[in-house]
Amino acid sequence: MAVSAPLFLVDRLPDGQSFVLDGPEGHHAATVQRLRVGEAVLLGDGRGGVATGVVRSVGKGSLDVAITSRGYADAPDPRLTVAQGIAKGDRGELAVQAMTEVGVDEILPWAAARSVAQWRGDRGAKARDKWAAVAREAAKQARRSWLPTVGGDPDLSTKQLAQRLGAAAAAYVLHEEATDRLSQVDLPASGEIVLIVGPEGGIDDHELAAFTAAGARPVRLGDTVLRTSTAGVAALSLLATRLSRW
């Protein structure tokens, strides 16, 4: 079975017919993946642009690539944003990885009342950067032409998140006591759809009230309760199908 060409991210797509892939991406391609002359590669800028190429030569930590074609993919619309309650351990990173693979466009780390882990100061910035790095690698694995963004504020409060909902085309809170199902609610044709996923302890009544007052609609996926690391993935998969991304 043929294996699809690996994707490497570059700051800017090449204008000419050749390109030297060096730096961390070149090291990974030449030293870790051990690509050889004649193998196909993809170069992406993470903003919709993708170039296809063939390895002409392999250097120490670099590849010389002959560019064979270029293309551009429009940004997905509607845009899918997930406000992910900060989780303890590696559960947040697992959620970021899987959500990126299934198509999330933006991830907002949310400091929920029941979040066990607290992101403060330098620790918060480092944790956010870790999420961004996980999303970057997952996007490469999934061969995505658009990189998802990870919210700039590493400690987004409930008040700030509620304010963000006002600009969304639609917002949904995943809640086990909701009666409406995400599979049946009306979806906007364009704009931003925000999904709110609670941490391990769930979403408390004050948070739910703040979000519904801002226009969000409580919804459930089914009769079972999912972990914080899988709820967003399941919801995005459902939306990807309903929006004909899948």
Side-chain angles (χ1 to χ4, degrees), residues 86-87 89 92-93 96 109 117-134 150-151 154-155:
I86 296 172
E93 294 170 18
V96 169
Q118 298 294 319
W119 289 8
R120 295 287 187 273
D122 290 343
R123 178 183 179 184
K126 290 178 181 178
R128 178 204 54 207
D129 291 346
K130 177 64 174 177
W131 279 24
V134 170
V150 177
D155 193 27

Side-chain angles (χ1 to χ4, degrees), residues 32-199:
V32 179
Q33 291 196 244
R34 298 183 179 181
L35 295 181
R36 297 292 179 256
V37 172
E39 293 192 79
V41 296
L42 299 174
L43 303 175
D45 61 10
R47 301 178 298 277
V50 178
T52 302
V54 177
V55 178
R56 293 196 300 194
S57 64
V58 181
K60 185 177 181 180
S62 66
L63 300 179
D64 182 13
V65 179
I67 304 302
T68 56
S69 66
R70 296 176 181 81
Y72 177 82
D74 291 331
D77 187 34
R79 177 180 175 84
L80 300 178
T81 297
V82 174
Q84 173 68 50
I86 296 172
K88 65 181 179 181
D90 63 354
R91 290 180 181 175
E93 294 170 18
L94 290 173
V96 169
Q97 176 182 329
M99 289 192 298
T100 299
E101 291 177 3
V102 300
V104 72
D105 298 305
E106 184 172 3
I107 301 168
L108 303 173
W110 167 42
R114 294 175 178 169
S115 288
V116 175
Q118 298 294 319
W119 289 8
R120 295 287 187 273
D122 290 343
R123 178 183 179 184
K126 290 178 181 178
R128 178 204 54 207
D129 291 346
K130 177 64 174 177
W131 279 24
V134 170
R136 176 185 174 91
E137 292 307 309
K140 290 167 57 179
Q141 175 67 34
R143 315 299 197 265
R144 288 189 54 170
S145 55
W146 283 87
L147 277 181
T149 58
V150 177
D153 191 337
D155 193 27
L156 187 71
S157 69
T158 296
K159 181 179 179 181
Q160 291 171 317
L161 179 53
Q163 293 172 341
R164 169 72 182 262
L165 301 182
Y172 306 101
V173 186
L174 297 183
H175 197 274
E176 64 271 17
E177 295 180 4
T179 55
D180 294 332
R181 293 180 182 258
L182 184 59
S183 60
Q184 297 172 341
V185 297
D186 292 334
L187 300 177
S190 63
E192 181 182 42
I193 297 175
V194 179
L195 285 169
I196 302 175
V197 180

Side-chain angles (χ1 to χ4, degrees), residues 1 19 202 208 217:
M1 182 178 67
F19 181 79
L208 184 61
R217 184 173 177 177

